[in-house]
């Protein structure tokens, strides 16, 4: 039969935050120590009752043993050693320990089941609450209205003759690009015969024209243009290769559609630089749109027989979910 | 009658337990008897109070424990670790320094 005095000590230690494993171990060791003292006392005490009382006296008072434990904070569970932020967990643990009989907390085969079940329930509550808070904060970070965000104000563009850069009129050379989940590009734009460049000179143009098996254009359409130049005296920007933006998985799961208006510069070699987001319905789509537009290739614009960079080119990318 | 657990005795139980366990592994009851014998009955550790000290030393890595069955009875035996031996050396040096200082203050024979 367990000594009721040791049960009192164990309960006091559990209430004070000593880990249940240490409290259970202390009770077992006190029982063993008490039996050894009782055996020793029986060698000089004739009455077993007096030997038992002598053994209990030598073991020490309950308050003294508990006080010695509480003097050592390293023996307390981490919940009791942590800051006030874990006060809620400490209260829940104390309520659990108070609500269960001590025999359940200290019985060798029941204790793990009871403790693991309580820990699992607490973990579910905390995890579920954390996920709900995260979900709410994510929703709060999404725009509350459908009004587009204006990100860039108009910047005056210098004259072409001064810098060699031609400011493009605010017309969409590549009016709109529609993006759907699962789109996999690049999408090569097949130019009609009269618009195809004479021969590629610079990478990546060489790769593009080789893949398209372009034929040399008719000579009369390119009068005044060097045959070694891939520029065409057409004066328009025409995309040759477009790369599909990645449809954001978060937006696809939430059923969010949107658009992004991007402004950029098409260089004299047809590549894209200085990409800036002008307007967007949701910041989710800006990153994928910028990444994709940076990989676009254009047939450069020709002014006075010379390929020039074109600033202020705008494209609208629309992210839709329906087929 | 000497007062139990006077303030200047803090750290002494730890020193005595490590010193006794540096020879061989022992369990709680055996440890208290060994300390009493080693100190010529000058220091007696509380029978139940020895366990907080042992658990504290084990938490800090100075001791290791295991349960053994001897003569049909299961007991927890404690043994010192390498870290415990280093801790024992530190406490021994500290105690000898304190003892030297106290002896000097009390005026040992032959010292001014």
């Amino acid at each position: 039969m367990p000594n009721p005095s040791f049960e009192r000590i164990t309960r006091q230690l559990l209430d004070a935050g000593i880990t249940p494993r240490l409290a259970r171990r202390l009770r077992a060791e006190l029982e063993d120590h008490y039996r050894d003292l009782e055996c020793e006392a029986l060698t000089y005490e004739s009455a077993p009752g007096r030997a038992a009382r002598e053994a209990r006296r030598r073991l020490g008072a309950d308050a003294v043993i508990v006080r010695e434990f509480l003097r050592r904070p390293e023996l307390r569970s981490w919940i009791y050693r942590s800051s006030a932020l874990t006060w809620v967990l400490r209260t829940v643990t104390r309520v659990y320990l108070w609500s269960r009989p001590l025999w359940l907390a200290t019985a060798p085969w029941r204790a793990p089941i009871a403790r693991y079940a309580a820990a699992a329930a607490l973990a579910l509550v905390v995890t579920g609450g954390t996920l709900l808070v995260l979900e709410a904060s994510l929703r709060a970070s999404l725009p509350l209205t459908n009004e587009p965000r204006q990100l860039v104000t108009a910047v005056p563009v210098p004259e072409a003759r001064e810098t060699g850069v031609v400011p493009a009129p605010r017309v969409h050379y590549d009016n709109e690009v529609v993006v759907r989940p699962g789109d996999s590009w690049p999408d090569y734009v097949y130019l009609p015969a009269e618009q195809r460049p004479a021969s590629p000179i610079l990478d990546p143009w060489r790769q593009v024209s080789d893949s398209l098996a372009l034929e040399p254009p008719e000579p009369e359409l390119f009068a005044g243009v060097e045959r070694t130049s891939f520029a065409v005296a057409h004066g328009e920007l025409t995309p040759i290769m477009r790369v599909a933006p990645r449809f954001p998985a978060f937006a696809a799961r939430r059923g969010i559609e949107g658009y992004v208006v991007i402004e950029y510069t098409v260089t004299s070699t047809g590549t894209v630089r200085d990409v800036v987001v002008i307007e967007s319905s949701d910041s989710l789509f800006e990153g994928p749109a910028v990444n994709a537009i940076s990989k676009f290739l254009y047939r450069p614009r020709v002014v006075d027989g010379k390929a020039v960079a074109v600033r202020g080119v705008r494209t609208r990318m629309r992210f839709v979910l329906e087929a | 009658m000497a007062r139990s657990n006077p303030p200047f005795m803090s750290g002494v139980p730890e020193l005595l337990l490590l010193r006794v366990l540096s020879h061989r592994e022992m369990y709680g009851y055996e440890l208290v008897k060994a300390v009493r014998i080693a100190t010529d009955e000058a220091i007696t550790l509380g029978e139940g109070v020895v366990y907080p000290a042992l658990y504290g030393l084990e938490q800090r890595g100075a001791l290791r424990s295991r349960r053994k069955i001897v003569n049909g009875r299961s007991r927890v035996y404690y043994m010192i670790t390498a870290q415990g031996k280093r801790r024992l050396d530190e406490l021994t040096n500290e105690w000898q320094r304190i003892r030297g200082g106290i002896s000097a203050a009390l005026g040992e024979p032959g010292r001014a």
Side-chain angles (χ1 to χ4, degrees), chain A residues 236-319:
Chain A
E236 295 295 333
L237 277 177
T238 306
I240 289 186
M241 186 182 79
R242 298 182 299 190
V243 176
R246 180 184 53 81
F247 201 106
F250 181 83
R253 282 197 303 268
R254 296 287 189 281
I256 301 173
E257 296 183 337
Y259 70 91
V260 182
V261 176
I262 306 175
E263 185 172 290
Y264 47 92
T265 299
V266 176
T267 65
S268 57
T269 57
T271 57
V272 170
R273 71 156 197 245
D274 303 334
V275 180
V276 174
V277 176
I278 300 297
E279 187 180 319
S280 73
S281 66
D282 198 313
S283 61
L284 282 171
F285 303 111
E286 290 174 14
V290 168
N291 289 337
I293 209 74
S294 303
K295 298 183 179 72
F296 276 32
L297 284 178
Y298 284 86
R299 187 174 53 119
R301 189 175 181 184
V302 173
V303 175
D304 296 335
K306 187 177 177 184
V308 295
V310 180
R311 293 180 61 172
V313 180
R314 286 193 178 183
T315 293
R316 178 189 172 100
M317 284 194 171
R318 205 158 58 88
F319 293 78

Side-chain angles (χ1 to χ4, degrees), chain B residues 12-72:
Chain B
V12 170
E14 193 181 26
L15 170 63
L16 294 173
L17 289 172
L18 288 173
R19 177 64 181 165
V20 166
L21 286 170
S22 64
H23 299 297
R24 64 182 179 88
E25 61 177 6
M26 296 182 196
Y27 59 97
Y29 171 75
E30 199 177 12
L31 263 171
V32 173
K33 275 180 64 174
V35 168
R36 192 165 59 235
I37 294 169
T39 59
D40 290 333
E41 308 275 342
I43 297 174
T44 303
L45 299 179
E47 303 276 351
V49 169
V50 72
Y51 292 105
L54 290 172
Y55 294 171
L57 286 169
E58 191 177 2
Q59 287 280 83
R60 290 196 290 273
L63 295 179
R64 199 169 61 242
S65 66
R66 63 187 180 122
R67 186 166 278 277
K68 262 173 47 171
I69 297 177
V70 177
N71 296 331

Side-chain angles (χ1 to χ4, degrees), chain A residues 197 199-210 228-231 240 267-271 297-298 300 307:
Chain A
S199 63
I201 296 179
L202 301 174
D203 287 334
W205 284 98
R206 182 170 294 112
Q207 299 170 11
V208 171
S209 62
D210 287 346
T228 56
S229 167
F230 52 74
I240 289 186
T267 65
S268 57
T269 57
T271 57
L297 284 178
Y298 284 86

Side-chain angles (χ1 to χ4, degrees), chain A residues 21-23 25-33 35-37 39-40 58-60 64-65 67-69 71-72 74-76 81, chain B residues 5 10 27-30 32-33 36 46-60 65 67 73-76 78:
Chain A
R21 180 182 60 87
L22 281 181
R25 181 175 154 186
L26 173 70
R27 202 185 79 160
E29 292 197 76
L30 285 178
E31 297 270 4
D32 291 338
H33 202 129
R35 275 199 292 272
D36 290 326
L37 290 173
C39 290
E40 183 183 330
R58 285 180 59 185
L59 203 55
V64 173
I65 296 174
R67 187 178 65 225
E68 282 302 311
F69 263 96
R71 281 181 55 217
R72 299 171 191 277
E74 67 271 17
L75 299 182
R76 296 192 178 191
R81 278 186 274 132
Chain B
N5 216 23
S10 60
Y27 59 97
Y29 171 75
E30 199 177 12
V32 173
K33 275 180 64 174
R36 192 165 59 235
E47 303 276 351
V49 169
V50 72
Y51 292 105
L54 290 172
Y55 294 171
L57 286 169
E58 191 177 2
Q59 287 280 83
R60 290 196 290 273
S65 66
R67 186 166 278 277
R73 287 189 64 182
S74 174
R75 290 195 176 93
V76 177
Y78 295 88

